[in-house]
Amino acid sequence: MHDPLIRSRAVALARSGASHAEIGRLLDIPSGTIGYWVRLDGLPSAAPARPAHRPCPRCDDSDLDQAAYAYLLGLYLGDGHITRSGRTYVLRIACGTAWPGLIRACERAITAIRPANRVCRARKQGCVLVTAYSNHWPCVFPQHGPGRKHERAIVLEPWQRSVVSAHRWEFVRGLIHSDGCRVVNRTTKTIAGEPKRYEYPRYFFTNTSDDIIGLFTGTLDALGVEWKHLNQRRAAQTVSVARRGSVALMDAHVGAKY
């Protein structure tokens, strides 16, 4: 017997347009079992298999939670991707299992943008894929396209630039929470013959896309945060924020993942 919660979750995903095979992979349940549950759910006493129209902030000009969107955009540009799944699209954001607070924040942001769509988790080795199905993900994230992000142009549309300009810190927080981190450097210096230990925090952001790096550093410039590129022998670029005043700003508005 399967947990009733798993069954209701599978049926809800099917109503959202996910294929039985996709749901089976997500929940580790045979697709035939998913089909059986869906057929049972189609009895007259059950809810209709197809949901009513769910307004899209782009297609229908419905309300958009701009702060949540700016944060989710940062997460998507860092560790997110959109793929076709049967008749619909699926958004997945990879979140490290070490950061349960990040997973919850990602779920809240997705729910704020698509409140009528179910958000679920798929556990993978070392991470959790926060997942939601919607026909409108390409409308919400027009940066979706074939290939990896660093192999194509990533340019924000005018409406996205307007949202980011109004919620710069949320955008930076999403980028840091996806492809960045806050660390504490420790060093020892000899002062007047005595070794003294020093600790100082700093932020890093690493990405392979020149465009995404430019979006990050351009937003930091607008916020008055000082940064610099690290010299590295690899394709990915790393931006460091180490100045005390700039780190204090980042701590006040971004903070470490948790």
Side-chain angles (χ1 to χ4, degrees), residues 48-131:
R50 292 295 297 168
H53 175 67
R54 297 168 177 178
C56 169
R58 297 304 304 153
C59 301
D60 305 307
D61 199 27
S62 60
D63 291 338
L64 174 68
D65 186 328
Q66 293 195 0
Y69 179 79
Y71 178 66
L72 187 60
L73 176 61
L75 293 180
Y76 165 72
L77 291 178
D79 281 329
H81 67 277
I82 297 169
T83 56
R84 185 80 186 182
S85 177
R87 295 165 296 177
T88 188
Y89 291 89
V90 55
L91 168 70
R92 296 184 180 90
I93 307 289
C95 301
T97 53
W99 317 116
L102 166 60
I103 296 171
R104 292 191 296 271
C106 180
E107 290 174 329
R108 289 194 298 268
I110 292 176
T111 299
I113 303 306
R114 301 295 298 153
N117 293 82
R118 180 72 65 89
V119 181
C120 56
R121 302 180 184 184
R123 294 191 175 274
K124 301 294 182 180
Q125 185 173 0
C127 75
V128 169
L129 297 178
V130 181
T131 304

Side-chain angles (χ1 to χ4, degrees), residues 61-256:
D61 199 27
S62 60
D63 291 338
L64 174 68
D65 186 328
Q66 293 195 0
Y69 179 79
Y71 178 66
L72 187 60
L73 176 61
L75 293 180
Y76 165 72
L77 291 178
D79 281 329
H81 67 277
I82 297 169
T83 56
R84 185 80 186 182
S85 177
R87 295 165 296 177
T88 188
Y89 291 89
V90 55
L91 168 70
R92 296 184 180 90
I93 307 289
C95 301
T97 53
W99 317 116
L102 166 60
I103 296 171
R104 292 191 296 271
C106 180
E107 290 174 329
R108 289 194 298 268
I110 292 176
T111 299
I113 303 306
R114 301 295 298 153
N117 293 82
R118 180 72 65 89
V119 181
C120 56
R121 302 180 184 184
R123 294 191 175 274
K124 301 294 182 180
Q125 185 173 0
C127 75
V128 169
L129 297 178
V130 181
T131 304
Y133 292 82
S134 173
N135 291 333
H136 295 282
W137 285 131
C139 315
V140 178
F141 295 110
Q143 287 69 40
H144 165 63
R148 299 176 180 178
K149 296 191 193 81
H150 68 273
E151 296 174 344
R152 63 179 191 269
I154 301 295
V155 181
L156 299 187
E157 294 196 353
W159 68 269
Q160 292 179 297
R161 294 198 298 270
S162 177
V163 170
V164 169
S165 295
H167 301 278
R168 292 188 177 102
W169 281 118
E170 290 301 313
F171 181 57
V172 169
R173 191 162 68 92
L175 288 169
I176 289 291
H177 284 184
S178 58
D179 274 350
C181 62
R182 182 189 188 274
V183 301
V184 177
N185 281 3
R186 296 176 173 86
T187 186
T188 301
K189 292 185 179 180
T190 301
I191 307 295
E194 294 290 332
K196 290 192 175 183
R197 187 178 180 85
Y198 292 90
E199 296 184 353
Y200 58 95
R202 66 193 304 184
Y203 285 82
F204 293 109
F205 177 73
T206 301
N207 199 283
T208 307
S209 167
D210 291 340
D211 292 337
I212 295 175
I213 288 288
L215 290 171
F216 178 68
T217 56
T219 307
L220 292 184
D221 288 340
L223 291 167
V225 175
E226 297 181 75
W227 56 272
K228 68 176 182 178
H229 283 290
L230 297 186
N231 293 322
Q232 295 177 299
R233 294 181 178 178
R234 58 175 182 169
Q237 303 176 56
T238 297
V239 173
S240 166
V241 176
R243 293 269 186 178
R244 182 177 299 177
S246 294
V247 170
L249 276 174
M250 296 284 283
D251 281 345
H253 296 280
V254 178

